[in-house]
Amino acid sequence: MLKLIQLEIHKNKLTGILKAFAIVILCILGIMLLIIYDDRSANGGEFNTFPKIFGILYALVKAAFIIFASVLLGRLVINEYKNNTITVLFMYPIPRKKLMMAKILIVFLFTLISIILSDVVIIAALAGMNSFVHFIPEQLEMSMLLSQLTRIGTDAVCAAGIALIPLYFGMRNKSVSATIVASVLVTCFVSAGTGDFQIGNLLGVSIVLGLLGACIVYLAIRNIETEDIA
């Protein structure tokens, strides 16, 4: 499986997405700073504690990489079906399910790792800036940071599963645009809320949606060994 993943990364030149990953992190950090600055300028005090900052940060990061994952799904899976190049791939003496799982695992692992790294990097950047500028009155304590690591990991796993939901719509229509539109709609749902509260930050909702993503993957590949690709 690892060899297949490496071949897919090389074939699709996915190392180039590292630049896009860095750009996404910088954009989210910029948005967070604007939110904090605007809140201070308006004397609202809505985002004057780290837990409140974390709430909006996690929602932004999940939204960004769920949409990012749909682009990867379109590139790795949907385009193969749309252009009928998947038939050539399935001629290799390798089980179809294994080939498809390699593609899907790339999307899952990229989303998982990207969310964890983004949360950690942006939290570190905000904490570092706060030690000089003090835009948040409190300091980020180690105990608070450790308590957030568990949430970051759980959120990342759930979001990586949620990111697979658009696969259903893409496979059904053999359309990359349908995959991306579906991801935007899913993102709108998980980001719905007010202030630092978003539906996607509710653990129960995230788990259910993540499991839904896993079920969609199962349905997409369960009969792939015998189904007609044409």
Side-chain angles (χ1 to χ4, degrees), residues 168-200:
Y168 169 78
F169 302 94
M171 291 287 285
R172 183 175 182 178
N173 300 288
K174 302 298 185 290
S175 168
V176 174
S177 58
T179 309
I180 295 174
V181 169
S183 74
V184 172
L185 293 176
V186 170
T187 298
C188 289
F189 175 75
V190 299
S191 301
T194 58
D196 60 333
F197 169 79
Q198 278 78 35
I199 290 177

Side-chain angles (χ1 to χ4, degrees), residues 89-102:
L89 188 64
F90 284 165
M91 290 174 66
Y92 297 159
I94 302 172
R96 292 181 179 184
K97 284 184 180 180
K98 197 170 183 179
L99 288 168
M100 286 295 291
M101 281 306 302

